[in-house]
Amino acid sequence: MNCRSEVLEVSVEGRQVEEAMLAVLHTILLHRSTGKFHYKKEGTYSIGTVGTQDVDCDFIDFTFVRVSSDELDRVIRKAVAEFKDALGNSGSDGMGQISLEFYQKKKSRWPFSDECIPWEVWSIKVNVVNLANEQERQICREKVGEKLGEKVINIVEVINRHDYLPKMPTQSEVDNVFDTSLKDVQPYLYKITYQITDSLGTSVSTTMRRLIKDTLAL
Amino acid sequence: MDSDLSSQDRKDLDKFIKFFALKTVQIIVQARLGEKISTCSSSSPTGSDWFNLAIKDIPEVTHESKKALAGQLPGIGRSMCVEISLKTSEGDSMELETWCLEMNEKCDKDIKVSYTVYNRLSLLLKSLLAITRVTPAYKLSRKQGHDYVILYRIYFGDVQLTGLGEGFQSVRVGVVGTPIGTITLSCAYRTNLALMSSRQFERTGPIMGIIIDHFVERPFTNMAHMHPCSYRTPGEDEGGTYAGIEDSQEVCTTSFSTSPPSQLYSSRLSYQTPALGTVDLCHPTAFTAGAHPHQMVVPGKEGGVPQVPAQPNHGTAAEHCRIPSCPNGQSPQPAQPTSCSSEVKTVFCDALETTFTRKVGAFVNKATTQVTTTSLDLPFAAFTPRANDLEVNDPMVHPPPSPAPSSPLQGSLHSNSSSHSGGQPQDDFVMVDFKPAFSKDDLLPMDLGTFYREFQNPPQLASLSIDVSAQSMAEDLDSLPEKLAIYEKNIDEFDAFVDTLQ
């Protein structure tokens, strides 16, 4: 099975980074989250209900839809905040990439640890621009809003190809496919990583690779 | 093709398609209400949340959808369309977008109905949630209110995109293959948002009549094509006008199996035809291919709203329904028949009221002419307080509690000029005369306040007085040679003056 990889690129102003990333990540996670599974006897299970809510951006003329889960929102916001701080500390160039990777765990025999097999990776390349005056910022607000709209359409296009999705697991296997730690929704197992590109355009020793969510905890 | 599908699967598939269509309309209409939508996740399945998504059901919208479907399902050659349009308070209207739920003949026979199709339809609804916030009509709908409102119309049959103007764009939300065909959900939206004149929309002529009624106190439910679209929780239902959610929906599939076949819940379908009071809705006649589905029947008692000739339609009721704005997220009105009217009244009356509200600041005299101090050629002349608002700007002034005879200074302001408009007897305020900073006493023989008063009412120019107008043109011309002679005599002076200017 090949891992599906999608790359999205956005150019935003510094204060728009957070909202732009939240918009894209939440849109993807909306499609990659289900309700909580409740397993019953005879191998049947029922699925809880996923609520949604609209989020207006303050610095972008854009509204996105996210899953109604404060826990999930907190995790994503924390990841995006770290990415934004790293971008800010990296220097004046402001280029980076944040990746959302969906993976499955494959149990290996002892003493080998479980394998994480990604089946879908979304990479969002961010280019931070500096604007000179308020008029440019206003134009940027609208332009970035339109761009994010295009990104949402791209995401929806990819998702609706109905390519590979992990099979629905049995009760014993559910933690290998889904993140069951949240109490209201159940996204597929995912991890968020980021890379900051330095002025040379390459990732060198200053690259930080932080695993924001990793259930392996090696 | 159908023989490969078991009867249970076929029944399930039909149910899925039906509720998918209903939820699609709900999502689209709710996204155009003009407010942010928020629903809660629930870890325990309730059995009434189709496709495992919390999507509220606005009863009116469900009713309209079911009426449009009229017992049919979207199928090959039978598309369900939701048209979103904008209507201004002047009566101009413009189609903004058309959402189409279509089915083509491409079948996927191997797909599992109860599992894969269901989950993919759920995914498609999530995509629809995302895409409805991206098209241009979303931003317009969030700003609706005084100047325009957003309407929706559901129709069944052939997709009509001609009203979207030239250069409309299309976005495909997604596709789901089923054993009986492939379901496609797409949106065509207008890109040219220049508002056209109402003359170009003759077929939507009756809608203009609606706008006239916006400003007349008439309950909107009397208009068949206008339905209150505010969402009320079941507790506020008066008289059980609409069937509650629990009664009007089948319990949806929530149970899956990791090994086929899955067990499905089903319960009785209880659907009550809602009573809409005096609304006389057009009901579908027999299917007629090619007929224009754009029919609105308006009861004659509405007065001023023209009747549309009843045309055979595709078996759908095509009404324009207004989505009112709830700018403050107001709770819905309790009385259903008048909810729309009261809401509309609130919307438009607010607009009317605000235009007549004038905030008058404290200490303000009646409006006086602007007095400019630039002609005084004083430094910081613009900062000198005017006589009328001296008491506002001057921290030393405190209005006396009783209408005292005021300070002796006030008398000085009123005495000099014979005509001053600002000298209203302000018993509560004390007119204080003080010398503005940097004022030069030699420039004006009078104090500043007096100056203002005098210059507010300058004497009329002699040339404009009535006496002068009585003078004939001939007399003017006669006096010209004399004037010219004087000017020629003084020509040296004029030349010297011109030299100083250069």
Side-chain angles (χ1 to χ4, degrees), chain A residues 27 30-34 36 38-40 42-56 61-65 67-69 142 146 149-150 152-153 156 159-160 162 165-170 183-185, chain B residues 35-46 49 52-55 115 119-120 123-124 126-134 138-139 142 171-177 189 254-259 261-263 265:
Chain A
T27 300
L30 168 70
H31 291 86
R32 292 289 181 243
S33 301
T34 72
K36 295 286 288 179
H38 297 274
Y39 285 92
K40 304 171 205 175
E42 301 136 16
T44 61
Y45 62 96
S46 58
I47 308 180
T49 301
V50 171
T52 59
Q53 58 189 81
D54 291 339
V55 181
D56 287 338
D61 280 347
F62 191 66
T63 301
F64 63 91
V65 182
V67 166
S68 285
S69 167
E142 294 163 11
E146 287 170 14
E150 288 172 25
V152 166
I153 293 174
V156 161
I159 297 222
N160 275 273
H162 300 301
L165 274 182
K167 251 193 277 189
M168 285 298 149
T170 56
K183 65 175 190 295
D184 42 15
V185 294
Chain B
E35 53 197 27
K36 292 203 296 189
I37 305 295
S38 176
T39 55
C40 295
S41 302
S42 162
S43 62
S44 310
T46 57
D49 290 323
N52 311 118
L53 278 177
I55 300 164
Y115 166 73
N119 286 333
R120 287 187 180 176
L123 205 58
L124 189 51
K126 289 175 184 170
S127 299
L128 183 64
L129 280 164
I131 298 280
T132 43
R133 275 67 175 169
V134 158
Y138 180 72
K139 283 190 199 140
R142 288 292 298 270
V171 60
R172 193 169 77 166
V173 182
V175 295
V176 173
Y189 58 91
T254 56
S255 181
F256 295 89
S257 170
T258 49
S259 57
S262 60
Q263 304 299 318
Y265 288 112

Side-chain angles (χ1 to χ4, degrees), chain A residues 37-107:
Chain A
F37 280 16
H38 297 274
Y39 285 92
K40 304 171 205 175
K41 298 177 208 168
E42 301 136 16
T44 61
Y45 62 96
S46 58
I47 308 180
T49 301
V50 171
T52 59
Q53 58 189 81
D54 291 339
V55 181
D56 287 338
C57 295
D58 292 326
F59 301 110
I60 311 173
D61 280 347
F62 191 66
T63 301
F64 63 91
V65 182
R66 70 165 176 90
V67 166
S68 285
S69 167
D70 291 339
E71 279 180 83
L72 182 64
D73 188 40
R74 269 197 294 274
V75 170
I76 304 301
R77 281 183 184 272
K78 186 167 172 245
V80 168
E82 288 188 23
F83 172 64
K84 185 190 167 188
D85 290 341
L87 261 184
N89 296 335
S90 69
S92 58
D93 283 279
M95 281 183 62
Q97 175 176 299
I98 191 166
S99 297
L100 173 61
E101 177 186 303
F102 293 100
Y103 65 94
Q104 265 179 275
K105 269 197 282 192
K106 189 175 169 191
K107 292 264 188 243

Side-chain angles (χ1 to χ4, degrees), chain B residues 441-462:
Chain B
D441 287 329
D442 53 355
L443 196 62
L444 293 169
M446 64 183 87
D447 59 76
L448 198 58
T450 318
F451 166 77
Y452 279 126
R453 278 179 176 69
E454 284 212 331
F455 279 79
Q456 277 171 7
N457 291 292
Q460 195 153 34
L461 289 174

Side-chain angles (χ1 to χ4, degrees), chain B residues 228-258:
Chain B
C229 299
S230 57
Y231 173 59
R232 294 166 9 259
T233 57
E236 293 179 18
D237 234 351
E238 273 202 7
T241 308
Y242 287 117
I245 295 171
E246 298 76 24
D247 295 332
S248 64
Q249 276 186 347
E250 293 184 28
V251 173
C252 60
T253 303
T254 56
S255 181
F256 295 89
S257 170
T258 49

